[in-house]
Amino acid sequence: TMEATKIAFNDIDINVAGGGHSGYIYGVINGGDEAMLRMQLEESFGNWLQGWGTFGTEGTDINYKGDILGFGENWNTTVYPGTNYLVYVLPLVEGKNSTDYTAADIQTLFVTSKDIEAGGSATLTMEATEITYTNMEVALIGSDNTSMIYAWFATAQELAQFKNEEELFDYVVAYNIEYGQVSMGNTTSAYISSLNPGDAATVVAFAVDTNGKYGQIYKQEFKTKSLNYNEALKVVIDETACKIDATSASIKVS
């Protein structure tokens, strides 16, 4: 049997119990919609049938209660809001060859974590912790009731592509989930590099409170250090070291 016993925006608990089989292969995958997850599962299963790699975690018994990400080997450490998860178990039958199994033998449980909602009370403050001529790092501090922070450091050109706040919000959410940058807790930082001196970039961020509700979208601009004129700096051309002919020139500058 497989069931979800708790579904929250940042947590899913499951109960998986087996019995009467010689062993089990099990695990959990997440990411796209249900159809994509099932296609990914069947592709992995097909590779296993062909002898290419493993298919989940294998055990002689199965009786699991707890966090969905603790079910089998899993690289993910965070349950993200509004994310689909597919739990799977392949019961093994004694004496049955691996090539005799089909995708229909796999038992699955599809579950989606709750999405975040508007109307939250968590707030954010930002403070630059490092500003150079090309890079910037900004600390984001949420109020005590902050459970998650979404943030993105964007150039003016990147911000200009969004027609409204809704599009910007959706992108920040997708960006943080895709790159695993959703911060758990009430502190994090945003970083941007490869800028020019005097360039401006904007931190776009919002906090999610402990009830799974997000507050206002914060946008704060920061600038890299600008180059200043320094009359003490001199450039000297050594004319005696210059070599010039009909097709080329070599000038020594110090």
Side-chain angles (χ1 to χ4, degrees):
T1 60
M2 290 190 289
E3 62 176 344
T5 57
K6 175 185 177 182
I7 301 177
F9 71 97
N10 59 354
D11 185 28
I12 297 176
D13 286 345
I14 59 172
N15 183 0
V16 181
H21 293 88
S22 62
Y24 303 87
I25 299 177
Y26 55 91
V28 57
I29 55 176
N30 69 280
D33 58 24
E34 184 174 5
M36 183 181 298
L37 289 177
R38 294 192 181 280
M39 182 174 64
Q40 181 182 338
L41 179 66
E42 291 189 12
E43 181 179 351
S44 177
F45 174 71
N47 290 337
W48 175 72
L49 290 180
Q50 298 297 320
W52 304 332
T54 60
F55 175 64
T57 300
E58 187 168 353
T60 57
D61 195 10
I62 187 169
N63 187 12
Y64 180 83
K65 294 181 180 179
D67 187 345
I68 192 171
L69 297 182
F71 187 64
E73 296 178 4
N74 200 310
W75 293 106
N76 297 297
T77 58
T78 302
V79 170
Y80 293 126
T83 303
N84 297 321
Y85 295 84
L86 186 65
V87 182
Y88 62 93
V89 176
L90 175 64
L92 301 177
V93 178
E94 187 173 358
K96 189 173 183 178
N97 296 323
S98 60
T99 53
D100 294 330
Y101 292 98
T102 69
D105 295 317
I106 306 172
Q107 299 178 22
T108 61
L109 170 68
F110 177 76
V111 58
T112 303
S113 58
K114 289 184 177 180
D115 210 346
I116 52 177
E117 302 175 345
S121 58
T123 59
L124 278 178
T125 57
M126 303 184 197
E127 180 180 349
T129 55
E130 180 187 4
I131 300 290
T132 71
Y133 296 101
T134 58
N135 305 339
M136 294 189 290
E137 185 174 12
V138 173
L140 290 84
I141 302 97
S143 52
D144 290 341
N145 64 333
T146 299
S147 63
M148 307 174 79
I149 298 176
Y150 292 73
W152 178 47
F153 221 144
T155 63
Q157 293 81 2
E158 289 171 327
L159 285 178
Q161 65 183 309
F162 300 101
K163 298 177 182 178
N164 50 51
E165 292 284 286
E166 184 178 354
E167 283 190 3
L168 178 59
F169 173 84
D170 290 342
Y171 178 82
V172 173
V173 170
Y175 172 86
N176 277 253
I177 292 177
E178 180 178 357
Y179 293 100
Q181 295 184 357
V182 180
S183 177
M184 307 305 292
N186 67 341
T187 59
T188 188
S189 61
Y191 182 80
I192 192 169
S193 62
S194 302
L195 299 173
N196 293 315
D199 276 356
T202 300
V203 176
V204 182
F206 62 89
V208 179
D209 64 25
T210 52
N211 295 316
K213 296 184 177 182
Y214 60 89
Q216 73 177 83
I217 299 178
Y218 291 81
K219 288 185 286 185
Q220 188 168 336
E221 184 181 86
F222 297 87
K223 287 186 177 181
T224 57
K225 290 182 178 180
S226 296
L227 296 177
N228 298 311
Y229 177 71
N230 185 346
E231 62 181 8
L233 295 177
K234 304 297 182 181
V235 174
V236 178
I237 297 177
D238 187 351
E239 295 184 3
T240 62
C242 296
K243 296 180 180 179
I244 301 176
D245 57 32
T247 59
S248 64
S250 175
I251 311 297
K252 183 178 180 180
V253 181
S254 59

